[in-house]
Amino acid sequence: VPGGAGPGGPYGVGTEATSGDIPIGQGFFVKTDVDAESFIVNNTHRTHSTQAYYKDNTEEYDNLLRFVITNQYSHDEMIVRLLPEATVDYDKNMDARKLFPANQNIPQIFTLSPSNQNISINSIPENNQDLILPVGIIAPAGICEISATEQNLVKGRKVYLIDKLLNEETEFNKNTVYS
């Protein structure tokens, strides 16, 4: 990780968080802001580490909400976190764009930025007390459940899920399941 940044980059969070070392048999994505650049990884970049398999990570972070949508086939995650230097729009050094699978049986959850970008990790400013954050869901027919698997907010902050289709508002906490 460039500059010695920690897990998941300089802000330390991911939908399947990392330590900076990628264990054997695990993949990763590289995104660049410019065309025609090369990203070269050769044998000199290998390291030996005791980094565990990423899906086994149970570390929790402050000022973070982790939502999961689940159906009978699979699940997907979305993260919203509060950072003082973030904006409400897409921040290329703090947010992650949503990547969609080819398998349409897997439900998808993501936030929508003001510039209409689909975001799977969305950093927003801490000072937004009453922010409405649009959430997109793509799911096959059938029952899906949305749950908050991690919710570490400053005491007194509340999160509500507003279902515009059914015109329902539900206070969302770590024990809430919405279907």
Side-chain angles (χ1 to χ4, degrees), residues 107-176:
Q108 300 296 300
I109 188 168
F110 50 94
T111 62
L112 300 159
S113 75
S115 58
N116 290 321
Q117 294 192 53
N118 301 327
I119 303 174
S120 63
I121 301 174
N122 195 352
S123 304
I124 58 175
E126 290 177 328
N127 60 355
N128 266 321
Q129 292 294 327
D130 295 322
L131 176 68
I132 295 176
L133 194 60
V135 173
I137 294 173
I138 299 172
I143 296 174
C144 288
E145 293 183 339
I146 301 171
S147 59
T149 59
E150 188 174 344
Q151 186 173 13
N152 298 316
L153 295 177
V154 174
K155 193 172 187 173
R157 287 196 185 236
K158 294 183 179 180
V159 176
Y160 294 89
L161 177 68
I162 301 170
D163 186 326
K164 289 188 170 189
L165 181 65
L166 300 177
N167 199 26
E168 295 177 351
E169 185 173 305
T170 304
E171 184 174 351
F172 226 77
N173 58 50
K174 195 169 181 179
N175 300 316
T176 304

Side-chain angles (χ1 to χ4, degrees), residues 45-62:
H45 295 104
R46 289 183 184 178
T47 62
H48 296 279
S49 164
T50 59
Q51 168 63 44
Y53 183 64
Y54 291 140
K55 282 193 158 190
D56 295 337
N57 182 26
T58 58
E59 185 174 355
E60 291 193 358
Y61 301 92
D62 291 334

